[in-house]
Amino acid sequence: MATEMDDILPTALDCQKKSAEMEAEKAAEYMRKRQAAEAEKKELLDRLAEPSGVSDDERMRRAAAIIKRAVSNGLTEVEVGRFSNKLCTDGGRAINQQEPGWNETLTGLPNELIIFGKNISNRAGTA
C-alpha cells in the first residue's frame, strides 16, 4: 500500500536515472564544446598554413608598432610568434634538434616571417 511519503520521495531508481541523464547531458555538452574547439583550431591551422597575403610594408608597420609598444613598456625583448609543429614539414623535429636548415621545414605564415626577418637583416647589414 503506497503512502503519501512514497508519492513525495523519488525512488532510488528514479534518482539514478535522473543522475545518469544529467551526466549524459554534461558529457554531450562537453563533446559539443570540444568538437567546436577542434574545428576552430583546424580552421586556424589551415589559415596559417596558407600565404597570409600581408605585404612586407604592412608587416614592417606591424612589427614597428609591436617594438615601439615594447620599448615604451620598458621591455627589451618581445615574442614574435608561436606556431604549431603541424606547420613544419617534419612535425618540428629539426627545430627541436636544433639542426642547421630547420627553417626550411617551415610552411605558411611561420615561413613568411622567417623570410621577412632575413630580408630585414640583409637590408640592415646584420645577416
Side-chain angles (χ1 to χ4, degrees):
M1 173 177 190
T3 66
E4 189 174 317
M5 280 298 225
D6 291 335
D7 293 335
I8 295 173
L9 292 174
T11 66
L13 184 59
D14 290 339
C15 291
Q16 287 175 337
K17 284 181 184 177
K18 181 67 174 173
S19 181
E21 289 171 2
M22 291 179 71
E23 285 298 317
E25 286 177 26
K26 285 181 189 177
E29 180 63 21
Y30 171 79
M31 289 305 293
R32 279 191 293 276
K33 287 181 181 179
R34 184 174 173 190
Q35 288 171 343
E38 288 295 321
E40 187 177 321
K41 182 178 176 181
K42 183 184 179 323
E43 179 184 330
L44 177 61
L45 284 173
D46 289 347
R47 210 169 1 134
L48 291 175
E50 298 296 321
S52 68
V54 175
S55 70
D56 280 353
D57 289 340
E58 176 60 22
R59 200 177 310 275
M60 181 57 85
R61 279 192 285 281
R62 292 177 184 180
I66 291 168
I67 292 166
K68 288 176 184 176
R69 186 172 41 246
V71 170
S72 68
N73 289 327
L75 300 175
T76 57
E77 58 187 35
V78 295
E79 182 176 300
V80 175
R82 288 180 175 214
F83 54 90
S84 170
N85 64 0
K86 291 181 172 95
L87 294 172
C88 300
T89 57
D90 66 350
R93 185 194 54 76
I95 292 173
N96 289 336
Q97 299 298 316
Q98 300 179 0
E99 293 178 359
W102 61 265
N103 52 313
E104 295 169 11
T105 68
L106 300 176
T107 64
L109 182 60
N111 186 45
E112 284 182 30
L113 293 176
I114 289 292
I115 292 169
F116 175 72
K118 282 182 179 179
N119 290 343
I120 296 303
S121 294
N122 288 340
R123 281 191 237 160
T126 59

